[in-house]
Each structure stands twice: as C-alpha cells, then as structure tokens.
Amino acid sequence: VKSLFGARGPALLLDSKHKTWLVVTIVVGGISWGVYAVWDAGTPGGSTGGSRIGLLYGLLGAGCMVFAGLLSALRRFPRWGMLGSRQWWLRGHIWLGLLSVLFIFCHANYRFGGPIEIALWLVLALTVLSGGFGLLMQHVLPRLLGTQIDNEVPFEQIPHVCLELLRKSDKLVELLCGQEYAPTEGLPAGKRQLRAYYEEQLRPALAAKGRSADTLILSGMNVAAKIKQLGQLPGLEASGKELADLESNCKKRRALVEQERLHAWLHGWLFVHIPLSAALLVLGMVHVVSALYF
Amino acid sequence: MVEEKSLADRLDIDYVRRPSRLRPWRWRVTLGVFGLTILAWAVGHLWPGKRLYQAGPVSAPHAWFNEDCARCHDRPGRTGLRLFLGDEIRAVSDQACTSCHQGPAHNHKQATQPACATCHREHTRSTSLVRVANEHCTSCHRNLEANVLSDGTPSFHNCVTDFAHNHPEFGLWRSVGVKDPGTIRFNHAVHLVEEGVYTSTRVEPGVERVRRKLDCQSCHERDATGRYMQPIRYEKHCAECHLLSVQLTGLPADSEARRLGEAFANEPAPHQPPPVVRAVLRDRLLQQFAAYGREKLGWQPLPDDAPVPPGQRHPPVVSKHQADWVHAQLVEVERVLFNLDGGCRYCHAYEEKRIEGLPQVKAARINERELPLVGVTSRWLPHSRFSHETHRTFDCLLCHEHTKSSKETSDALLPRVETCQQCHQPAANVRSDCVLCHTYHPGGAKHAYLGTLSRVDRTACPQAMIARLNDSKR
C-alpha cells in the first residue's frame, strides 16, 4: 500500500480543489432530496416522473448529464476553454454526473419503470460505475507508474521504443555472434549458445507486439541467470558489457509491458464509459420523447 | 533512474503527428454501441405491442385495448406542459374514463372534484385501479371543513388521517341512544345457551322435547355476495321451535272429535297477519269438521238456491248453525293465539288499535336500521362495506362480543372501531386503507352495455382473459 500511495499518501486526483464541488454537491443533493421527499410525502399516492416536480427533477438530471457530456466536446473544441478550464469541467463532470443520479432517482420516484426506463437505469448505473472505476484508476495508477516503471515513455512512443530495443539487441547479438542466419560452425560454444538462446527465446519476446511479450522469458531472474551462465562460456568471457546491455534491453522491454498493462487499466475504462454514455443519450432521447408524448 | 540521454536517442519526435493508438478504437466502439442502441430501440418499436413505452403494465380490465394507447391517452403531448401549468394538465381526459365508467360525484358539498386519473393511476403495477392511496382521501378528510363548499357544513368527522390511529368511532356509536328498531322480541342470550334450546320435536309423548344447540349460523346466513347477512325469516329460522299450533277446546268427548282436534292442533297456523290467520283457521275448521259436523252436530248443507242475505252479493256457503259453531271455536283459538302471552305476542308487539277485534301487529322492521343524519337504512354502517365472507374464519363473537349476554332486541351488537383496529393496522400487516371499507363514488345506475370494443387484439390479452374468452365461446 505504501508503494501505491507513498508515505504521505497518494498524489490525489480528488485534491483540495474538489472541496468546493464536494460541499456544493452534498448541499444541493441534500436539499434537493429533502424537498422532493417532502413534496412526495404530500402527494397522494406519491409523485411520478410525469408530475410537475418529477419533470423538474428529470430536467435537472438531464441538465447535469448534458454538462457531464460536454467534457468530451470541450476536448474537441479547445476554444470553449473560455467557458472554464479543463480541470474545472472535469470536476463538474465528476460531481454533477454524480448529482444527476440523485435527480434521476427522485425523478423516477425511486422506481425502475418500464423496459426503456430499466434499460436507462442499467446504462446509467454502468456509466457511473465505470466513471467511478476510471476515477479510481486515474487516482492510483499515475502514482504507480511513477514508482513502478523506471523508464516510463509516452504511451504513443511504446511501439517505437520496443522496435528500437529489438534493433539494439539484434545489433548486440550480431556483434557478438555474427550475422543472423550465418553458419555457427566454428564459433565458440558460448557464442553458439547465445545465438540460439537469443533467436529462440529472447528475440520472439522482444519482437512481440505490445503486451503480448512473454514477460516470463524477459523476467529479470531468468535473463540474468542465463546471461551470467553464458558469460562464463568460452568466447564470451570478454563480452560482459555487451551481455549487460542485452540484459538491460530485456529489462526495459519488460518495463514497457508493465507500463502498457497499467495504461490499459488507466484508459481502458473509457472503452466502457464513453460508449455507454452514447447509449444513455439514445435511450434518454427515446424516453423523453415517448414520456412527453404520452 | 531514467536514462535521459538514451531516452532522447530513442524517442520518435514525430509521434505527435500520428493518430492516437486508442482513440480511433474508442470512437469505433462508441459508434458501434450508439448504432446498436438505436437498432435495439427500432426493433423494440417495431415489435408488436406498446409495452416498450409503458412504465408498467396496464391493469387487467384495460388489457383488452393495451395496444390502443389513444383510447385513454386522448390528449397526447400535454405532459410536458405540467412543468409550467401544474399537475392538472393531463394526457388522459375524464371523458376518456367516463365513456365507459360512471364515476358519479363523491359528495355534493365537495369543494374540488379531482380528475379521474388523479386517484386511479394506470401503469403502476398495482393490483387494482380502485385501490387508491389513503392520501387521496385524507387530502380532504384531514381537514374537511376547509374542503367543503363555502355554504356547506361537513357531515362527517372533520379530521381523519389514518384508520389505525385517528379514525373516529363508527357513527352508530357516536350517536347517543341508537337502538335496533326491530319490534320482534328476541333474546340472544336465551337462544345461545350451552345446553341448547327446546325444539317442537318430542321423541315420544310425555317426554321432554328435543334440545338443539344453536350457533350464529343457525339463523344468520350470508347473502349471495358473502358480504352481509340475510334477514331472519320466521319460516326458515323460527318455525322449527316456535310453532303456531293451537288446541281446540270444548269439543265433544268422542274419539273422532279428539282425532280431529289433534289434527287441527298439529297443523300450525300460518305466519300471516291476524285477518289472514282468522280466515285460514275458519276455513280449516269448516273443512276438517264438515263430515263430523253433518254426522254428529246436525249440520245441514245449504240448498243451491239459498237466498242472498240483505246487503251481500252472494248466497251463504254455510248454515247459521255451522257458522255459530265455528265462530265459537275461533273465539277461543284467537284468544289463545292473539291475546295470551304464548301466542303471537310472544314475539310480536301490537298496535294499540284493534280492527274487528283483531290486533294489528307492529311492523317487525327486521332489516331496518334507523340512524341519525342517515335515516332508515338496511345496514348499520351504511357508509362502509364489509365482507363476512372474508372474515369467515373468525369466531363471530370475536367482533360481536356482547351477543351472548344480549337480552333485548334493541341491543345493537355491532363492533366498535377499536375491535377492527386490533387487526386492521400496519403493525399487524393487515390492510387498513380507506378504500378497504369505503367507496368514493356512490353506487347508482350503471352504464348500459356499450359494446364499443369490436375487435380483441389477442396479442394484448393476458392469457387468463384469452382462456376465459375461449371458454365462453365453447
């Protein structure tokens, strides 16, 4: 846990700048719920989504959702930055998105409703949960990336860096054992074994795309033990530096696999959150049109 | 540690110009889900049935036209206006309801008349449309004075919010001195003794009559609806024990006269008004003693051309001698039946005035209740409804607790509100809502059969209804 959050706790995404939003959300949510509960208790048979207050809360909930959805638009249209900073919109996205659940909860009078409404509830719940999960990931993983990954590179650079590592490793082995596919007869046993080890195990792992690289082969203990063993064989006694570089390349490649894995958690939730938001938009429109018509 | 130099060597500075690795896929997935959602909605929309848009299923009686939303939603598109104009704006007009249902006004003093859909809410998964929430009633009844017309005074308790806690005592008990107006002398205590009551049956002459133990159901029978009790009828409930038999006295001492006297005594007098009883007994005497009279009492049949007495239209059917004998017997019979305590007076009360020497029996008023503000009704609690059938598993005395000690007909043996409240309260998980006992719309004339439903969409019918339809066709 200490490694995750550090001795002084995590580098918070939900930092003190969220305090105002938190307070406003709690106060507005509490008052809204209180007002609705009183109104509902005073309404014979309970309020409905189609009643005046139900419609009002539905409108508020939809407004909060639209605001939350505009975060994506803001990224596409940077000129909208004059309406507020990205951080401000992100905070609004988080807290108003949460508040929208409360408004919709009241709008529905704590009921699930018909098929469209049940689908809406399901999609809304999954959207909020995936958002919450994403928030947690964004909260924890950047810190973890900083502490666990030594040679962190920009995410978009990873394929390029992987190729670079492969190229460097190829060059090292070529330097030590001759060109690829060249006959190995006559080479010292150490170089022959290095060539075989590299071509059969290390190179496929280094050449694998993205996270598919075999981290077991690239694991520090395996590579270090093997290279130490190879270094003692005839022909490689004086190649300690080159072998150390090869071991370092494997270590870096392994770190990149780990970085990609963490990145997948860091951004993968968006593959759920954003499409569900789109589904929410469609179902919400259907609900609004059908409910207001009937 | 990050090796800055080596990092700088290996970085591809043009990577910012290339498209993001993840973003295109995110867009593809988003567009895919967006399209799939639209497709799912389109399939649901085109699928037979309108349940996709219903917040809940329509109630069973309306399931016949489930597909025809406009039959009820005759003002579509108005829902959104509620936000600005209030909840009175409805997509379902009262006319849509009253085209099939009567729904007469609740009370003529009512200040506001709510729309049908205010109380009767569809699409709520409720088992019944008439099982409305208490608040619909208590919104007025919690302060009735404020909710009647300005020139009206509420006839009911001003504040009722809940049956279990502040429902007033039943009107019957709130009025001082309310008695059963029935004039039949009846003693519940005597009829419910443990050892039973004497019947008119004897196993053999001279032996005590057979006893029969009575319970409430011996006399009180539920009506066809199972709700209320049928009125007590002499022939059905009393005659077995209270026979209207009377013995003739002063008959000749011969065996034939004794046999005829016993036959007369064994045939009870009819349970009819005294003039009818007199006529029936007179006829019976004439017929039963005709042969004996001709043989032993010297009765002579009148000739066919007997003269019509002055003032009458028909010739006499019996001789004066015969009539005098029958009259002499009837005087004694009527004395026993009408004047002695063991006769009609055992149960009935008489009017003061007699007609032609015969008493006038007071109206029994068996099925009448006389209540202040209500007048004469057939039920003790006319503003509520009750089902004996529903309560059949309980001992009658649980509610009618003073019955076994009641000695007077005038005793009103109805339960008080606290008797009902013992069970009917939320804590006991027993219904205590207003509509359990009260109805909002007064009963009255029903709509004539309209027959406007000309087609039954079977896809909309609940299976039970389809089965019923098929049964009726068979």
Side-chain angles (χ1 to χ4, degrees), chain A residues 268-289:
Chain A
W269 60 276
L270 285 170
F271 278 84
V272 177
H273 190 69
I274 294 176
L276 283 176
S277 304
L280 194 65
L281 179 70
V282 175
L283 291 172
M285 291 300 290
V286 171
H287 168 73
V288 167
V289 170

Side-chain angles (χ1 to χ4, degrees), chain B residues 405-424:
Chain B
S405 59
S406 164
K407 295 179 178 174
E408 300 293 333
T409 307
S410 58
D411 293 341
L413 299 173
L414 271 288
R416 291 177 177 270
V417 69
E418 61 260 29
T419 306
C420 305
Q421 284 168 337
Q422 286 172 12
C423 296
H424 289 277

Side-chain angles (χ1 to χ4, degrees), chain B residues 37-192:
Chain B
T37 311
I38 291 176
L39 185 69
W41 165 72
V43 169
H45 181 76
L46 297 173
W47 202 266
K50 294 283 189 284
R51 293 195 178 89
L52 182 69
Y53 301 110
Q54 293 176 351
V58 293
S59 56
H62 294 164
W64 294 96
F65 46 90
N66 185 56
E67 304 306 296
D68 188 2
C69 303
R71 189 176 283 272
C72 293
H73 293 268
D74 56 347
R75 294 175 179 174
R78 291 169 62 93
T79 308
L81 294 176
R82 277 184 216 155
L83 193 60
F84 312 104
L85 302 176
D87 287 336
E88 294 76 24
I89 305 298
R90 297 196 172 277
V92 177
S93 71
D94 280 359
Q95 287 73 27
C97 305
T98 55
S99 63
C100 295
H101 303 279
Q102 194 84 4
H106 176 53
N107 192 294
H108 65 281
K109 295 178 182 174
Q110 199 173 352
T112 54
Q113 180 76 27
C116 304
T118 305
C119 305
H120 302 291
R121 292 191 178 173
E122 262 291 9
H123 305 295
T124 58
R125 300 178 199 279
S126 171
T127 52
S128 169
L129 274 183
V130 295
R131 195 166 164 176
V132 302
N134 281 359
E135 291 76 20
H136 289 295
C137 307
T138 57
S139 61
C140 286
H141 280 271
R142 70 171 61 247
N143 186 5
L144 207 53
E145 283 173 3
N147 288 290
V148 295
L149 293 170
S150 55
D151 57 343
T153 311
S155 312
F156 297 91
H157 200 266
N158 187 51
C159 175
V160 184
T161 58
D162 180 36
F163 177 74
H165 298 105
N166 70 348
H167 190 283
E169 181 53 272
F170 297 143
L172 158 72
W173 298 117
R174 288 209 307 275
S175 312
V176 180
V178 170
K179 301 281 185 188
D180 190 321
T183 60
I184 303 291
R185 229 162 51 89
F186 187 78
N187 185 327
H188 275 98
V190 165
H191 285 80
L192 292 171

